[in-house]
Amino acid sequence: MEQSVQFLLRLLGGAVMGTLAEASVARHGATRPDCPRCGRTMRLVEQRRGREMRGLVGDFVYGRPYYQCRACGGGLAPDDERLGVGSVGYTPALSRVAAMTVTEVPFERAARNLSETLGTTFAEAEIYRVVEALGVVAEAEIQVDMAIPEANPATPTGDTLLIGVDGTTSFIDGDWHEVKVGVVGMLGPELQHDAETGRDLLKVSDPRYCAAVATEAGEFFPRVALLARQAGFGHPELRRVVCLGDGGRWIWNRMSVFRQDGVEHIEILDYMHASEHVWQVADAFFGEGTLDAHAWVGPVLQDLLKQGPTPLMDALGKLRPRSARQKRELQNAKDYFTANRDRMRYPNFVAQQLPVGSGVVEATCRTLVCQRTKGAGMRWTRAGAQAILNLRCLHLSHPDRWRSFFARHPLRRTPRLAELRQPQTQAA
Ligand SMILES: [Zn+2]
């Protein structure tokens, strides 16, 4: 019974939406626009050209004046933009729901979820087009914001900023992609109990995320810097910046941009990544996963957390390599830990209730990028993967960021972007 009612309500909803859209078109009257491409005045070719839309409450068609440019042949319906509609055939409300669904599950399941919930059929490829277009708009916003480094920093909601960066690889539609991930949030003063270690740590609040596919560090860090500025980096009320990352040189070389006069700068080597390197040595010297390896690693890692890097360096110094592999692993580890020595003052960090394991960053990597996404006949381009990542980042960040993105009517900007991306088909 309820499904029949839903079916009827969609018919009714579509009719209401179509009527409202046309009423809005009629109210605003028609003025001849200038061609967005070549600037000439366009001519009216149809008074009520129908536009098919799929919506959250029903599908509908609305008629609106359609103009064409005599010079370049481009067509335009100015009412679409005013109504918040772009080049894709979904209403703003439906596209927002589709986008959120896709940030949670792969496209194929998103299509099934939407179809099941709304009682009609939505095609995977259709959803892909809509969501990719939104993600491309999000990317354009990021690019614009990154290009204005002088913008005033936001007022921070606390006095300590946490900046975490990590790299991972993601399996997206049959290919491995390198993905860099950044998280920026306020640290404390509220505390959070960490059940695993039994310690109370400063709580991370208002986290913001960014991620980039196959990007050089030099292109990636401006994204992190943008998030940091939006969270209050550069504002005089900020007292402390805590940087958390693995030992990768690409990270620490760049983290220095978050140094500022009068602001305490703390760099922490993610304890999990440090452990991985200790394990690599143990595997080389005592055999992979053997009891001997465990026996060596256990106390070394405990001491690292309780006493800092010195016992670890001593333990490495006592190892005597008997093969080329052991010699190489030992040297790598010594180099790595020497370079990161100051970032391993764990007892000091723990005393300040700072996070030493990038649980925050790791979780981000998992949620953001490690989700397998597949779709029949869909090929992920770098731009496409980036578009989806942008929406995932918006969704995982504070709900205000998701809401404000859609309050800026992103679909309105999709026709122009679609035009920009189109290869030129006509000689000018
Ligand atoms: Zn034109």
Side-chain angles (χ1 to χ4, degrees), residues 34-42 68-75:
D34 292 335
C35 174
R37 224 179 309 178
C38 67
R40 301 212 177 92
T41 307
M42 302 178 93
Q68 206 159 32
C69 173
R70 240 177 273 220
C72 72

Coordinates of all heavy atoms in Angstrom, one line a residue, residues 34-42 68-75, ligand 1:
D34 N 23.5 37.8 -23.5 CA 24.6 37.8 -24.4 C 25.3 36.5 -24.4 O 25.3 35.7 -23.4 CB 25.7 38.9 -23.9 CG 25.1 40.3 -24.1 OD1 24.3 40.5 -25.0 OD2 25.6 41.2 -23.3
C35 N 25.8 36.1 -25.5 CA 26.5 34.8 -25.6 C 27.7 34.7 -24.6 O 28.5 35.6 -24.7 CB 27.0 34.5 -27.0 SG 27.9 33.0 -27.2
P36 N 27.7 33.7 -23.8 CA 28.8 33.6 -22.8 C 30.1 33.3 -23.5 O 31.2 33.6 -22.9 CB 28.4 32.5 -21.9 CG 27.3 31.7 -22.6 CD 26.7 32.6 -23.6
R37 N 30.0 32.8 -24.7 CA 31.3 32.5 -25.4 C 31.8 33.6 -26.2 O 33.0 33.9 -26.1 CB 31.1 31.2 -26.3 CG 32.2 30.2 -26.2 CD 32.0 29.0 -27.1 NE 30.6 28.4 -26.9 CZ 30.2 27.3 -27.6 NH1 31.0 26.8 -28.5 NH2 29.0 26.8 -27.4
C38 N 31.0 34.3 -27.0 CA 31.5 35.3 -27.8 C 31.0 36.7 -27.6 O 31.4 37.7 -28.2 CB 31.4 34.9 -29.3 SG 29.6 34.9 -29.9
G39 N 30.0 36.8 -26.6 CA 29.6 38.1 -26.2 C 28.5 38.8 -27.1 O 28.0 39.8 -26.7
R40 N 28.1 38.2 -28.2 CA 27.0 38.8 -29.0 C 25.7 38.5 -28.4 O 25.5 37.5 -27.7 CB 27.1 38.2 -30.4 CG 28.4 38.4 -31.1 CD 28.4 38.6 -32.6 NE 29.7 38.9 -33.1 CZ 30.5 37.9 -33.5 NH1 30.1 36.7 -33.6 NH2 31.7 38.2 -34.0
T41 N 24.7 39.4 -28.8 CA 23.3 39.2 -28.3 C 22.8 37.9 -28.9 O 22.9 37.7 -30.1 CB 22.5 40.4 -28.6 OG1 23.1 41.5 -28.2 CG2 21.1 40.3 -28.0
M42 N 22.1 37.1 -28.1 CA 21.5 35.8 -28.6 C 20.1 36.1 -29.1 O 19.4 37.0 -28.7 CB 21.6 34.8 -27.6 CG 23.0 34.5 -27.0 SD 23.1 33.3 -25.7 CE 23.4 31.8 -26.7
Q68 N 19.8 31.2 -28.8 CA 20.9 30.7 -29.6 C 21.8 31.8 -30.1 O 21.2 32.9 -30.4 CB 20.4 29.8 -30.7 CG 21.5 28.7 -31.1 CD 20.8 27.6 -31.9 OE1 19.9 27.8 -32.6 NE2 21.4 26.4 -31.7
C69 N 23.0 31.6 -30.2 CA 24.0 32.6 -30.7 C 24.1 32.3 -32.2 O 24.5 31.2 -32.6 CB 25.3 32.5 -30.0 SG 26.5 33.6 -30.7
R70 N 23.9 33.4 -33.0 CA 24.0 33.2 -34.4 C 25.4 33.0 -34.9 O 25.7 32.4 -35.8 CB 23.4 34.5 -35.1 CG 22.3 34.2 -36.0 CD 21.7 35.5 -36.6 NE 20.7 36.0 -35.7 CZ 19.6 36.6 -36.2 NH1 19.4 36.7 -37.4 NH2 18.7 37.1 -35.3
A71 N 26.3 33.7 -34.1 CA 27.7 33.7 -34.5 C 28.4 32.3 -34.3 O 29.0 31.8 -35.1 CB 28.5 34.8 -33.8
C72 N 28.2 31.8 -33.0 CA 29.0 30.6 -32.7 C 28.1 29.4 -32.5 O 28.6 28.3 -32.3 CB 29.8 30.9 -31.4 SG 28.9 30.9 -29.9
G73 N 26.8 29.6 -32.6 CA 25.9 28.4 -32.5 C 25.6 27.9 -31.1 O 24.9 27.0 -30.9
G74 N 26.2 28.6 -30.1 CA 26.0 28.1 -28.7 C 24.6 28.4 -28.3 O 23.9 29.3 -28.7
G75 N 24.0 27.5 -27.4 CA 22.7 27.6 -26.9 C 22.6 27.9 -25.4 O 23.6 27.6 -24.7
Ligands
ZN1 ZN 28.3 33.1 -29.4

